[in-house]
Amino acid sequence: MSKSILLIGSNGQVGTELQNTLSSNYKVIAVTRPQIDLTQSDNLRQIIRENQPEIIINAAAYTAVDKAESQPELATAINAMAPQIVAEESQKLGSFLIHLSTDYVFNGNSNYPYQENDITNPVSVYGQTKLAGEIAIQKACSQYMILRTAWVYGTYGKSNFVKTMLRLGKERPEVRVVADQIGSPTWAKDIALTITQIIPQLTLELAGTYHYTNSGVASWYDFAMAIFEEAEKLGFLLKINQIIPITTPEYPTPAKRPAYSVLACEKISKLLGTHPPHWRQRLILMLKELQEKAL
């Protein structure tokens, strides 16, 4: 009989992809709002106890980075307290917990890819609450995998950088995009495929923190350029004819972002037996998928 997986946050970018990649081999119990309320500990405990999953994947988070600055209590409840409860229940059941985290746990002052054991020092409420969630899991649970990722975009979910750029590119002749923040754009489907590949290998020895992003680095400006170049080749309707690079101070936001948040992925590459695919190749696949979905 296939293992049972409780997937929390099943309607997000990664959650939807996980449902697609896992459902053929596992019994997936997909929960999202309104069935589950991450701010209500009793509700969360009840759902875990009722389903008794062998694996729990927490793909849910409060991800509104700027809004978190004015809603720290809500961000803390979802990103720190809920993971602690999930970890406690997971420990009681003897389940394996896979939890998605973020590059925002680092301050971005580095100029080399961040290793899993590098010092964390988040510069935003979002980053602070995500780090608090990581620490809570490490304390409460012995069988866990924290998977930090970055710059996630996908076909599903309400909005992401690719979808925003395509919308703006359809409406405007020019867009201004930050050129001094560096990271690795990562396709949600690749995160889901990676988790699916790891699940059969899960053992206590593998417990710990891992980084996974697509390979290659880019600024948001580079990413935007690539989106428009590839979308144009594929025949997307675009009005855009100029992309203007700007600095972070020229685009002030409530939350501070890491200037450099490239994650080193050697540890997970060793586990997978292969390096993550390059972000630009995966962007093309995602754009093709979006096109097909629109037909």
Side-chain angles (χ1 to χ4, degrees), residues 103-209:
D103 56 318
Y104 277 61
V105 298
F106 298 110
N107 63 15
N109 293 341
S110 179
N111 52 12
Y112 61 91
Y114 282 101
Q115 304 284 338
E116 285 82 355
N117 57 359
D118 280 344
I119 292 165
T120 50
N121 185 16
V123 292
S124 65
V125 169
Y126 168 68
Q128 288 156 8
T129 60
K130 288 296 287 181
L131 178 59
E134 288 189 10
I135 292 165
I137 288 168
Q138 289 162 349
K139 285 180 178 172
C141 182
S142 55
Q143 295 192 107
Y144 69 87
M145 178 177 280
I146 292 166
L147 191 66
R148 292 182 186 139
T149 188
W151 291 33
V152 181
Y153 67 93
T155 313
Y156 302 100
K158 289 174 198 160
S159 70
N160 56 56
F161 187 76
V162 177
K163 287 182 176 179
T164 300
M165 286 299 114
L166 291 173
R167 178 176 55 77
L168 294 176
K170 204 174 173 182
E171 297 167 357
R172 303 178 187 179
E174 67 172 51
V175 293
R176 293 153 61 83
V177 185
V178 170
D180 58 358
Q181 292 172 21
I182 308 294
S184 301
T186 304
W187 191 21
K189 183 179 270 190
D190 280 331
I191 300 168
L193 289 167
T194 297
I195 291 170
T196 304
Q197 202 178 330
I198 285 167
I199 284 172
Q201 304 180 53
L202 290 177
T203 59
L204 190 55
E205 289 74 42
L206 286 184
T209 302

Side-chain angles (χ1 to χ4, degrees), residues 240-271:
I240 192 88
N241 57 36
Q242 193 178 16
I243 304 149
I244 301 161
I246 60 169
T247 63
T248 297
E250 287 176 90
Y251 187 74
T253 55
K256 195 178 172 192
R257 267 105 173 134
Y260 179 93
S261 63
V262 179
L263 302 178
C265 297
E266 287 84 3
K267 187 177 173 184
I268 202 145
S269 296
K270 200 174 171 186
L271 183 59

Side-chain angles (χ1 to χ4, degrees), residues 1-72:
M1 191 176 153
S2 61
K3 285 186 175 178
S4 62
I5 298 175
L6 179 65
L7 173 58
I8 301 169
S10 57
N11 67 340
Q13 295 189 100
V14 179
T16 308
E17 296 285 8
L18 278 165
Q19 282 195 76
N20 296 340
T21 58
L22 291 169
S23 54
S24 56
N25 291 319
Y26 301 97
K27 181 194 171 192
V28 179
I29 305 137
V31 292
T32 189
R33 288 178 301 181
Q35 308 142 276
I36 192 165
D37 185 344
L38 296 177
T39 65
Q40 300 297 317
S41 58
D42 290 347
N43 171 247
L44 199 45
R45 289 187 197 278
Q46 186 187 349
I47 283 171
I48 295 168
R49 288 172 189 178
E50 277 175 5
N51 288 290
Q52 303 246 322
E54 289 158 273
I55 296 163
I56 302 172
I57 302 174
N58 183 25
Y62 180 107
T63 56
V65 176
D66 288 321
K67 222 184 254 187
E69 296 295 313
S70 58
Q71 295 186 326

